[in-house]
């Protein structure tokens, strides 16, 4: 085996990229890169029944979007390919037959009906090793006769298979608890248990990184390595990501889809940063990190033994930190599609809207909702004018909106400074405080309780003509309510 670190990410194209699966790929990438090694992408598509159309493209797309670049893969062959399991089919039969010769596997001719009748005392189907000791002559006779067969692992009896996991320490399993599982199916396709061992060996994978669901089955894989006389890789098993205290995040139930979070307006780098922290903590407890910083800080000692709960609120906060750290042009480019959705074809200053939104959203998909007042202005709930601290009610609001209309109708300097100065200088004339006018004016301009800026910012965004029109509409609304 190579001295250089070689890790692999081996997703199955059976649907969207689950957050837990992506975290496995991310850790494999970070570990390889932190050691100056290579990160390999392999597509494990032998489960043809569960293969989903377009899922392979989704794997490439997700890794690219997430910023996880592989050194070798289906489109980057470095001499260890093919990197797609269905393109390696001849290999598995050849190695399964070789394993039979070495005494680590055997031909099994049991039919489906017989196998279905085998149950242990708990009702669990367990193979009874019926074909394990068939004579060589009988095996050859049945093969010549064309009888269907599978090749099963010949688990040694009376041994303890153990290994040292990089996260969980020593793991031991008695061979009596390991079934003689199928390595090569009757259709010639390998099972996952066999294909991943053969591929990892032939691709010189030095470190296998995967979820804890494989912790107790790894001794079974190690017995295959041993039977071939191959060097075992090192193992790093990762604790699960939970939906809550009792339930794991599950691909089956559509939980935590990477591309769904992108479509919700999360930034790829924020998602990747957050999932890196689900089970790992850098020595300095930093939270916001670039891919380069994570690579530099990644250390197996920081991987937790316990499960992590996926907290979207925390990821949302982290995403907001990324948005706030963006430069104006960068934020504008990211926010523009969402701003256009929010203004719904109306002609507003998009750069000004981006400036307003930059520190007021945690995810980009909040933008259309916050800008809804721009394209959807109609009769609204006048209770929004109630503000006890400012001593504003509907009657005060009517006077304040009327005052704002009077002051702004004759205003030539439609700028933030111009509007602010005009209201400040004229408020007393209407027996009102500037704050009362500003508060009432903001509600009158937007018809919304919460807005992405104050009254003056809203007036600048709406422009002179639309602002005056809305103030007139709101004044009439307040007058009608008090008539």
């Amino acid at each position: 085996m190579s001295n250089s670190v070689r890790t692999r990410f081996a997703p199955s194209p059976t649907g969207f990229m689950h957050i837990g699966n992506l975290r496995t790929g991310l850790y494999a990438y970070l570990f390889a890169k932190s050691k100056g090694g290579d990160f390999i992408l392999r597509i494990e598509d032998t489960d043809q029944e569960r293969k989903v159309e377009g899922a392979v493209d989704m794997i490439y797309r997700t890794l690219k979007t997430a910023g996880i670049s592989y050194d070798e893969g289906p489109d980057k062959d470095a001499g260890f390919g093919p990197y797609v399991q269905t393109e390696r089919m001849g290999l598995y039969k050849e190695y399964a037959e070789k394993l039979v010769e070495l005494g680590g596997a055997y031909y099994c001719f049991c039919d489906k009906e017989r196998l279905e009748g085998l149950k242990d005392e708990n009702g669990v189907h367990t193979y009874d090793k019926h074909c394990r000791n068939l004579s060589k002559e009988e095996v050859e006779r049945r093969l010549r006769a064309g009888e269907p067969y599978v090749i099963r692992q010949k688990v040694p009896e009376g041994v303890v298979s153990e290994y040292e996991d990089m996260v969980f320490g020593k793991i031991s399993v008695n061979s009596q608890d390991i079934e003689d599982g199928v390595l090569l199916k009757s259709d010639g396709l390998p099972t996952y248990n066999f294909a991943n061992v053969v591929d990892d060996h032939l691709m010189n994978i030095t470190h296998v990184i995967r979820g804890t669901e494989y912790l107790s089955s790894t001794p079974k894989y190690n017995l295959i390595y041993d039977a071939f006389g191959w060097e075992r890789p090192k193992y790093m098993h990762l604790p699960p990501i939970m939906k809550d205290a009792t339930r794991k995040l599950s691909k089956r139930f559509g939980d935590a889809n990477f591309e769904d979070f992108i479509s919700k307006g999360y930034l790829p780098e924020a998602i990747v940063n957050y999932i890196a922290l689900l089970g790992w903590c850098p020595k300095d407890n930093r939270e916001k990190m670039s891919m380069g910083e994570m690579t530099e800080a990644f250390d197996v000692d920081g991987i937790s033994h316990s499960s992590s709960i996926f907290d979207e609120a925390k990821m949302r906060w982290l995403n907001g930190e990324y948005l706030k750290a963006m430069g104006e042009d960068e934020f504008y480019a990211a926010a523009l599609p969402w701003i256009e959705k929010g203004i719904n074809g109306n002609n507003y200053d998009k750069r000004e809207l981006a400036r307003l939104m930059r520190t007021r959203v945690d995810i980009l998909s909040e933008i259309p909702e916050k800008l809804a007042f721009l394209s959807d202005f109609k009769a609204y709930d006048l209770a929004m004018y109630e503000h006890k601290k400012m001593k504003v009610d509907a009657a005060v609001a009517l006077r304040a909106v009327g005052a704002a209309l009077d002051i702004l109708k004759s205003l030539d300097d439609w700028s933030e400074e111009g509007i602010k100065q005009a209201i400040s200088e004229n408020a007393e004339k209407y027996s009102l405080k500037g704050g009362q006018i500003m508060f009432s004016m903001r509600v009158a301009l937007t018809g919304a309780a919460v807005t992405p800026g104050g009254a003056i910012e809203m007036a600048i965004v709406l422009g002179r003509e639309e602002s005056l029109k809305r103030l007139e509409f709101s004044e009439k609304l307040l007058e009608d309510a008090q008539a």
Side-chain angles (χ1 to χ4, degrees):
M1 194 173 281
S2 168
N3 290 324
S4 172
V5 167
R6 287 174 62 81
T7 66
R8 49 77 164 170
F9 179 45
S12 299
T14 53
F16 65 79
M17 182 70 77
H18 177 250
I19 288 296
N21 203 17
L22 184 59
R23 184 194 63 172
T24 300
L26 174 63
Y27 283 14
Y29 171 82
L30 292 174
F31 181 74
K33 294 298 142 190
S34 70
K35 304 293 182 187
D38 292 326
F39 172 66
I40 291 96
L41 172 65
R42 187 171 75 223
I43 306 296
E44 298 200 336
D45 62 344
T46 51
D47 191 348
Q48 290 290 296
E49 286 180 11
R50 291 178 59 228
K51 187 175 179 181
V52 172
E53 190 69 35
V56 172
D57 289 337
M58 182 277 305
I59 291 167
Y60 295 137
R61 192 168 63 241
T62 297
L63 291 176
K64 185 177 180 182
T65 305
I68 301 172
S69 56
Y70 47 92
D71 299 288
E72 297 172 31
D75 55 343
K76 291 183 182 178
D77 195 329
F80 293 93
Y83 295 83
V84 178
Q85 279 189 336
T86 49
E87 294 173 17
R88 299 169 65 82
M89 278 311 156
L91 283 171
Y92 306 119
K93 188 169 188 295
E94 175 191 331
Y95 276 94
E97 289 170 349
K98 186 175 179 183
L99 194 59
V100 172
E101 288 173 29
L102 292 168
Y106 59 93
Y107 291 95
C108 171
F109 300 93
C110 295
D111 59 28
K112 190 178 177 184
E113 289 69 31
R114 181 177 189 284
L115 293 172
E116 285 177 353
L118 297 173
K119 289 183 184 176
D120 64 14
E121 62 273 14
N122 299 314
V124 178
H125 287 273
T126 306
Y127 185 59
D128 62 357
K129 305 181 182 180
H130 179 73
C131 295
R132 182 177 171 115
N133 296 312
L134 294 178
S135 69
K136 191 176 180 184
E137 292 73 28
E138 185 175 354
V139 169
E140 287 175 356
R141 177 182 63 76
R142 295 176 82 163
L143 288 175
R144 280 197 305 272
E147 284 189 42
Y149 66 87
V150 298
I151 293 181
R152 288 184 179 274
Q153 182 176 3
K154 194 172 190 175
V155 177
E157 294 176 331
V159 301
V160 174
S161 179
E162 61 183 34
Y163 69 101
E164 192 76 22
D165 185 76
M166 295 171 73
V167 176
F168 291 92
K170 185 177 280 189
I171 306 294
S172 303
V173 176
N174 196 301
S175 63
Q176 70 184 26
D177 298 321
I178 303 175
E179 187 181 9
D180 282 7
V182 174
L183 303 180
L184 196 75
K185 295 180 279 188
S186 56
D187 59 6
L189 289 174
T191 57
Y192 167 83
N193 296 333
F194 189 56
N196 88 87
V197 169
V198 172
D199 289 341
D200 285 345
H201 171 72
L202 295 177
M203 291 183 179
N204 278 357
I205 301 303
T206 60
H207 295 75
V208 171
I209 300 169
R210 56 190 173 206
T212 48
E213 63 268 29
Y214 294 106
L215 201 59
S216 59
S217 57
T218 294
K220 172 171 61 183
Y221 309 142
N222 283 337
L223 290 172
I224 298 174
Y225 280 101
D226 296 348
F228 274 118
W230 294 341
E231 184 182 346
R232 299 175 180 182
K234 291 184 173 65
Y235 297 99
M236 187 193 303
H237 287 92
L238 311 174
I241 301 173
M242 308 294 282
K243 188 184 182 80
D244 53 37
T246 59
R247 295 178 297 168
K248 280 175 69 175
L249 273 186
S250 169
K251 187 170 179 176
R252 188 180 306 163
F253 300 118
D255 289 334
N257 175 345
F258 178 76
E259 290 197 328
D260 276 357
F261 285 126
I262 298 291
S263 66
K264 277 185 188 178
Y266 285 89
L267 300 172
E269 53 270 41
I271 302 172
V272 169
N273 187 163
Y274 178 68
I275 67 171
L277 300 174
L278 289 172
W280 169 71
C281 181
K283 284 187 172 73
D284 58 6
N285 294 316
R286 262 179 304 169
E287 290 190 303
K288 184 173 178 289
M289 290 174 283
S290 67
M291 188 71 89
E293 289 168 331
M294 287 190 286
T295 301
E296 198 175 306
F298 194 78
D299 190 328
V300 181
D301 291 343
I303 297 177
S304 170
H305 288 207
S306 4
S307 56
S308 309
I309 293 179
F310 184 86
D311 180 359
E312 190 172 347
K314 178 71 180 286
M315 185 167 81
R316 192 185 188 101
W317 166 81
L318 187 58
N319 195 77
E321 294 300 298
Y322 271 86
L323 292 177
K324 290 176 182 68
M326 281 181 163
E328 280 192 21
D329 289 346
E330 189 185 4
F331 181 82
Y332 177 70
L336 186 57
W338 300 94
I339 290 171
E340 288 175 339
K341 190 176 178 183
I343 64 179
N344 199 23
N346 289 297
N347 188 26
Y348 292 109
D349 185 335
K350 294 168 191 170
R351 279 207 170 264
E352 177 62 20
L353 291 174
R355 188 184 68 77
L356 285 178
M357 290 294 123
R358 191 168 158 217
T359 57
R360 290 184 166 95
V361 293
D362 285 329
I363 56 174
L364 295 169
S365 58
E366 292 176 319
I367 291 174
E369 186 186 346
K370 288 185 183 291
L371 298 183
F373 73 91
L374 292 172
S375 55
D376 184 23
F377 185 71
K378 53 182 184 291
Y380 52 87
D381 184 359
L382 298 182
M384 283 189 281
Y385 285 106
E386 297 287 337
H387 198 304
K388 287 182 182 176
K389 195 174 179 182
M390 283 193 177
K391 298 181 179 173
V392 176
D393 57 18
V396 173
L398 176 57
R399 286 169 45 220
V401 172
L405 195 52
D406 281 353
I407 294 166
L408 297 181
K409 261 182 183 173
S410 55
L411 183 66
D412 293 325
D413 180 13
W414 198 271
S415 66
E416 285 197 22
E417 193 51 46
I419 295 172
K420 184 178 179 181
Q421 188 177 340
I423 289 174
S424 175
E425 287 174 356
N426 291 286
E428 202 175 323
K429 190 166 76 175
Y430 295 89
S431 303
L432 292 163
K433 291 180 179 174
Q436 291 175 312
I437 295 177
M438 292 291 195
F439 169 74
S440 304
M441 177 176 150
R442 183 186 62 76
V443 176
L445 288 172
T446 63
V450 180
T451 54
I456 295 175
E457 288 170 309
M458 297 300 94
I460 296 296
V461 165
L462 289 163
R464 180 191 180 89
E465 187 182 338
E466 181 65 18
S467 293
L468 297 176
K469 194 167 127 186
R470 289 187 177 205
L471 288 171
E472 286 170 356
F473 174 86
S474 293
E475 184 181 42
K476 178 80 167 49
L477 211 59
L478 285 159
E479 284 172 349
D480 290 349
Q482 290 179 44

